[in-house]
Amino acid sequence: MAENIRIEVVTPEHEIVNEDARIVMAPGSLGEFGVLVGHTPFMTSLKTGVVCYDDAGGNEQFICVSGGFAEALPDKITILAEAAEKCEDIDVQRATAAKERAEKRLADKGNDAIDFARARIALERAINRINTAGSN
Ligand code: ATP
């Protein structure tokens, strides 16, 4: 049996990753999970968080994902993310600006025009990007 599992990370805009991995960890909605080649098939939704895997050369890779779904098959895991960035591609200045914008909106309690749920999600995405960028 092959030693590696294929990892594919796609968004509506791009294919972010398509390569072999030894082990893949991902932020499932019900908790963090890990898959190796030969895993029983399953599907799950994902939280905003980090997908982490060891590539075929043994180097750890980190991908920031903003929610989505994962389908694990014995030889492949496909991650369909709403948005995803390799940690080295994250623009920290942009994420910091998004974080400040969201924090300002959340602090504006008396303003009925503000969609607080949307601001909280934007804040979560921005914090996840800032944290993931510091992973390598
Ligand atoms: P912003 O307010 O800065 O646009 P956002 O959370 O609204 O952030 P998304 O809608 O999640 O952005 O993503 C839109 C596109 O921009 C996606 O392709 C995503 O990968 C990319 N993107 C968003 N923020 C960053 C970032 N800080 N660094 C690199 N790419 C980013």
Side-chain angles (χ1 to χ4, degrees):
M1 192 160 79
E3 275 178 37
N4 293 324
I5 184 164
R6 193 83 182 164
I7 174 170
E8 196 178 346
V9 180
V10 292
T11 72
E13 295 168 344
H14 307 287
E15 180 178 84
I16 310 292
V17 164
N18 190 350
E19 66 172 324
D20 285 343
R22 294 178 180 180
I23 182 167
V24 178
M25 304 293 300
S29 298
L30 298 176
E32 193 80 13
F33 63 87
V35 288
L36 293 162
V37 71
H39 201 288
T40 306
F42 69 95
M43 277 192 83
T44 180
S45 54
L46 297 176
K47 291 192 283 210
T48 289
V50 185
V51 170
C52 165
Y53 63 95
D54 274 357
D55 67 19
N59 300 306
E60 221 173 6
Q61 307 290 339
F62 299 93
I63 315 283
C64 176
V65 293
S66 302
F69 292 89
E71 180 193 43
L73 298 174
D75 61 347
K76 182 174 181 181
I77 175 162
T78 305
I79 294 187
L80 306 164
E82 285 162 30
E85 303 87 38
K86 289 185 179 178
C87 70
E88 62 269 27
D89 294 336
I90 293 170
D91 178 341
V92 175
Q93 250 182 345
R94 176 175 167 180
T96 304
K99 176 173 175 276
E100 285 167 5
R101 257 193 329 272
E103 282 170 344
K104 239 187 222 158
R105 289 188 179 125
L106 290 170
D108 198 355
K109 297 247 188 290
N111 189 339
D112 288 345
I114 291 184
D115 182 340
F116 286 96
R118 192 171 148 194
R120 268 194 295 275
I121 291 168
L123 178 61
E124 195 187 359
R125 279 201 308 262
I127 291 172
N128 185 44
R129 286 181 172 123
I130 294 164
N131 291 343
T132 310
S135 296
N136 65 345

